[in-house]
Amino acid sequence: MSYRATICFTLAALLLASATTALGAQDPELKQCQQKCRTQHKSDEEQERACLRHCEDYHREKRGGRHGGDEEEVNARTPIERLRECSKGCEQQQGEQREYCQKRCQQAYDRERERSEEREEHRRGGGGHNEGRYEEREREGQNPNPYVFEDRHFFTGLQSQHGRLRILQKFTERSELLRGIENFRVAILEAQPQTFVVPNHWDGEIVIFVAQGRGTVSMVQEDRRESFNIKEGDIFRIRAGTTSYLINKDNNEKLVLAKLYQPVNTPGNFEAFFGAGGDSAESYLKAFSNEILEAAFNVRGDRLRRLFGQQKQGAILKASEEQIAALSHQQEGGAAWPFRGESKGTHTHNLYDKRPTFKNEYGQYYEVDSSQFRQLRNLDVDVAISLANISEGAMTAPYYNSKATEINIVVDGEGYFEMACPHLSQSQSRRGREEHYGQQRETRGGRREEYDEPQRERRGQSGYETVRSHLRTGTVVVVPAGHPFVAVASNNQNLQILSFKVNAYNNEQFTLAGKRNVLNELEREAKELAFGIPAREVDEVFKRQEEEFFFRGPRRQHEGRSDE
């Protein structure tokens, strides 16, 4: 940085600090925010200045933008608009820097959104005791609903005017409760009709589900290329390091792929590598020096520069009808197919080609595991894939998995879910005890009073927090092993939930209501001891539901129900 630039930078920081200090003299909360900025970023002037600006923006927003001018312009933008503007600025960066930038944008959005909701609740009479609670829990790493990921938790990995790849943030960035799946990532690829995704490879294993559309995938190695068609419901795998490319050959429908990545280098981090490309989708070959490239390819440097400078549309680009037709043909060639003994015809498995595991008027449930589709084997942990199509107004049975953690993606429809979680309840109880203990210590005479621990904790019993959230297309919900979960479809459309089940080897799925309710298998004496009432009365409740896995939803329970 030049001497003049350093002076300008320092002067700007001093002016900003003076302005925010003047405001802070009238607002203790702003003063506290400023002090935190100076403490946390004292070694980085640029970050300190950005932090101070954020404090000032929040202060202005809290006061309602009474001073007009630039403040009114800032307040006129909604949090989601500011998130999009921030995320757009991150697209110029690469790799981990881009991901870190997107994370900072997301965190700022989350803070603004929660503050807005809490202030609105306070204005409606919801009380002020929760004001600032979200920030406190975020600092402690205890997110209020760490299992749910919405659109704002995705960032754009690849993008052009013809499609994009949206990548979900790391699970452990949301909560340490999800560290069991920290080496898995989720992404959604959307390609417009008649488009081509340029050849690339990833430093990770990829399991893919075709959520919508149809296309052709090609995978190549040194002496072999194989192409195969894909359609809605297909599952396939691309092994780490395999160069692949695909087309959306439909004239009208978008191609949507749900992807589960398992990185092989750094846990939770993965990168795309483009061999072919131009200015907008840069080839990794451009990272080598000119003399290396000239020697490697035995051509002059000007020809190489022309080769790597022509393609300017990006990683997802439009193709002509003739090109799409030519790429749609399934062509094989070369020596024996090298993908670990797999033969032609085993590269895809369609979820809808097999009989549903459960089916009635309220829904269908399909599942494929590694015993049925060999390409799901040889990952670090076994993966299974299922899809629940819940009819409008219906619900699944409450159920849980013995070993597998479900990464659920809503591929279509709307509804909601509920889940029982002991971890959130324990953390809240622990915080409550600490707060209560601290209050008891601060007695008037300085005397420490005896701490009266909550009865539930004294008895060593568990409590459960009800985790619930709305479901819409694109929502991701993580359901840890052992956690009872239920999903409900809205009254006006079906709800389709795709599940990647991680650690699926020898997993068992237990339903808690309906014909196969595990509690029905208890002995008569066990029922009476567990519930404290005659076994006959227990059976009248648990054996009343005659359906299996899919039932009438809560809004339809009154139809045909008799409680005599």
Side-chain angles (χ1 to χ4, degrees), residues 306-551:
R306 182 177 184 277
L307 176 67
F308 293 126
Q310 292 296 107
Q311 204 273 87
K312 301 181 184 300
Q313 294 187 56
I316 306 173
L317 49 92
K318 191 74 173 179
S320 68
E321 291 187 8
E322 293 77 11
Q323 290 170 324
I324 292 293
L327 290 168
S328 297
H329 295 303
Q330 301 182 50
Q331 299 177 1
E332 297 85 31
W337 183 236
F339 292 114
R340 304 187 187 181
E342 293 171 11
S343 59
K344 178 182 174 182
T346 64
H347 32 249
T348 64
H349 184 102
N350 193 276
L351 199 64
Y352 302 128
D353 285 347
K354 61 175 295 183
R355 292 184 60 184
T357 307
F358 305 108
K359 180 180 180 181
N360 59 24
E361 63 177 301
Y362 305 113
Q364 305 88 38
Y365 182 85
Y366 303 87
E367 185 171 23
V368 172
D369 60 25
S370 60
S371 68
Q372 300 161 316
F373 185 40
R374 292 183 57 192
Q375 290 205 32
L376 296 178
R377 300 178 186 176
N378 302 318
L379 296 163
D380 286 349
V381 296
D382 262 32
V383 172
I385 298 176
S386 65
L387 188 134
N389 180 23
I390 310 168
S391 302
E392 57 185 48
M395 61 181 280
T396 67
Y399 70 91
Y400 67 90
N401 291 288
S402 63
K403 294 178 61 178
T405 293
E406 284 188 354
I407 303 172
N408 295 323
I409 305 172
V410 179
V411 295
D412 194 29
E414 291 191 359
Y416 70 95
F417 82 90
E418 291 187 0
M419 181 175 73
C421 177
H423 308 297
L424 298 182
S425 179
Q426 290 169 6
S427 63
Q428 291 182 4
S429 297
R430 186 163 53 250
R431 287 199 305 274
R433 292 200 308 274
E434 292 169 352
E435 292 170 2
H436 177 67
Y437 182 65
Q439 292 169 359
Q440 294 298 321
R441 291 184 62 182
E442 296 174 1
T443 56
R444 183 172 300 177
R447 178 175 55 86
R448 177 179 298 181
E449 296 184 1
E450 183 179 357
Y451 171 51
D452 184 18
E453 190 178 34
Q455 190 74 11
R456 185 188 68 201
E457 295 297 328
R458 275 212 314 266
R459 293 176 180 174
Q461 297 175 354
S462 296
Y464 303 95
E465 184 75 7
T466 302
V467 179
R468 60 167 62 88
S469 181
H470 184 74
L471 296 174
R472 59 177 63 85
T473 302
T475 301
V476 177
V477 179
V478 177
V479 183
H483 287 50
F485 172 86
V486 61
V488 184
S490 69
N491 281 335
N492 53 19
Q493 59 181 315
N494 286 13
L495 175 65
Q496 295 185 16
I497 301 178
L498 169 71
S499 296
F500 289 112
K501 296 184 178 181
V502 176
N503 196 29
Y505 181 70
N506 284 338
N507 176 65
E508 294 184 78
Q509 185 169 282
F510 297 104
T511 55
L512 303 174
K515 282 185 177 181
R516 299 177 66 181
N517 181 0
V518 294
L519 297 177
N520 285 337
E521 300 304 315
L522 298 177
E523 299 98 329
R524 179 174 61 86
E525 292 78 10
K527 293 175 182 176
E528 292 178 348
L529 288 168
F531 291 97
I533 60 175
R536 174 182 52 81
E537 296 184 35
V538 177
D539 289 339
E540 286 175 355
V541 173
F542 284 100
K543 293 186 177 181
R544 189 177 189 85
Q545 176 58 263
E546 298 179 353
E547 297 291 348
E548 186 175 3
F549 199 80
F550 293 105
F551 314 140

